[in-house]
Amino acid sequence: MSDRPESDKGLRRKNRLFMAGLFGLVFGMVGLAYASVPLYALFCQVTGFGGTTQRADAAPARQVDRVIKVRFNADVNQSLPWRFKPEQKELAVKLGEMGLAAYQAANRTDRATVGTALYNVTPDKAGKYFNKIECFCFTEQVLEPGQSVDMPVAFFVDPALADDPAMEDVTTITLSYTFFRAKDETQVLAQHATQAAGAKGTGTAAN
C-alpha cells in the first residue's frame, strides 16, 4: 500500500505531459493554418511555382541576344463589371531587355468599383525568370463610374534563362491577368473618398 501514492503521482505526471503535448499539437496546427497562405505565397515567389512571376527594382545590365516572344492575355471575373484588354498582342524582347506593355481597363457601371489582379505566366517553368518592375497588379485599382485608364507593365526576362537547359525549348511566354472584385472594396472606396476630399480641401485652401 505504501507504493500507491507514488504510482498515482506518476500517473498524474504522465497525464499532465500528455495534455501539454496535446495542447501544443493543437496550437501548432492552428499556427500552421494561419501561416500556410503567406508561406505558400513566399514559396511561389521564390521558386516561380505555378507560373508565379518575380519582382525587381530595375532591368539587369546584362543582355543576351536570344529573343523571347511575350504574349499578353486578359480576363475579368464576372463579379467585376469591367472591360479589360491588352493594347498589344505580343512583344519580342531580348533576354535582359526591359519591355513596356499596356493594358486598358474600363468601368462599365455608374458607381466606383475596385479591382485586384491575379497573374501568372505560361509555361509555368518560366515564372522564376519573368520579372516585373512596374505593374498595376502590385496594388488594388479604383475606377470611377465610366472611367477608362491605361495600365502599364514594365518587365524583363532574366538572362539566366539562357543558362538553364530546362528552358531551351521556351521561345514564347504568355503573361495572363485576371481582374477580380476586391474583397475589401467598401473599405478601399471609403479611404479613396476620404483622400479625395482631403485633396479637394487642400486645393480649395490653397486658392
Side-chain angles (χ1 to χ4, degrees):
M1 295 200 38
S2 60
D3 294 339
R4 184 65 179 271
E6 293 297 329
S7 177
D8 289 346
K9 288 181 181 177
L11 182 59
R12 285 196 293 271
R13 186 167 57 250
K14 289 181 179 178
N15 287 340
R16 284 196 297 270
L17 290 173
F18 175 76
M19 290 299 294
L22 188 60
F23 279 118
L25 178 63
V26 171
F27 282 117
M29 292 178 66
V30 171
L32 281 175
Y34 277 102
S36 59
V37 172
L39 284 176
Y40 179 74
L42 178 62
F43 171 76
C44 292
Q45 290 171 2
V46 172
T47 64
F49 182 76
T52 301
T53 61
Q54 311 300 302
R55 191 167 175 172
D57 294 328
R62 176 191 175 206
Q63 290 190 10
V64 176
D65 285 340
R66 179 175 167 182
V67 174
I68 294 290
K69 186 183 298 180
V70 180
R71 290 178 175 165
F72 302 92
N73 182 63
D75 292 293
V76 183
N77 182 268
Q78 61 182 3
S79 65
L80 188 66
W82 286 11
R83 284 192 302 272
F84 178 56
K85 63 179 183 179
E87 295 189 349
Q88 62 292 299
K89 290 184 177 179
E90 61 185 40
L91 288 175
V93 294
K94 293 180 180 178
L95 297 181
E97 178 186 11
M98 187 173 73
L100 294 173
Y103 284 74
Q104 186 179 66
N107 181 359
R108 298 184 289 108
T109 70
D110 58 358
R111 61 181 296 270
T113 50
V114 183
T116 184
L118 297 183
Y119 50 87
N120 72 329
V121 295
T122 51
D124 291 354
K125 61 183 180 180
K128 62 181 179 180
Y129 295 108
F130 197 95
N131 292 264
K132 294 175 188 168
I133 301 171
E134 294 290 341
C135 181
F136 56 87
C137 58
F138 292 163
T139 60
E140 294 177 327
Q141 301 293 320
V142 178
L143 290 188
E144 301 294 345
Q147 185 182 13
S148 177
V149 297
D150 290 332
M151 296 182 170
V153 182
F155 66 92
F156 67 89
V157 183
D158 195 322
L161 180 146
D163 305 323
D164 186 347
M167 303 299 292
E168 288 181 354
D169 61 334
V170 175
T171 58
T172 301
I173 296 175
T174 300
L175 174 62
S176 298
Y177 291 96
T178 301
F179 256 113
F180 292 82
R181 183 185 289 272
K183 292 181 179 179
D184 56 349
E185 181 179 68
T186 301
Q187 180 182 356
V188 172
L189 288 177
Q191 293 173 348
H192 182 68
T194 300
Q195 292 171 354
K200 186 176 181 180
T202 302
T204 301
N207 292 332

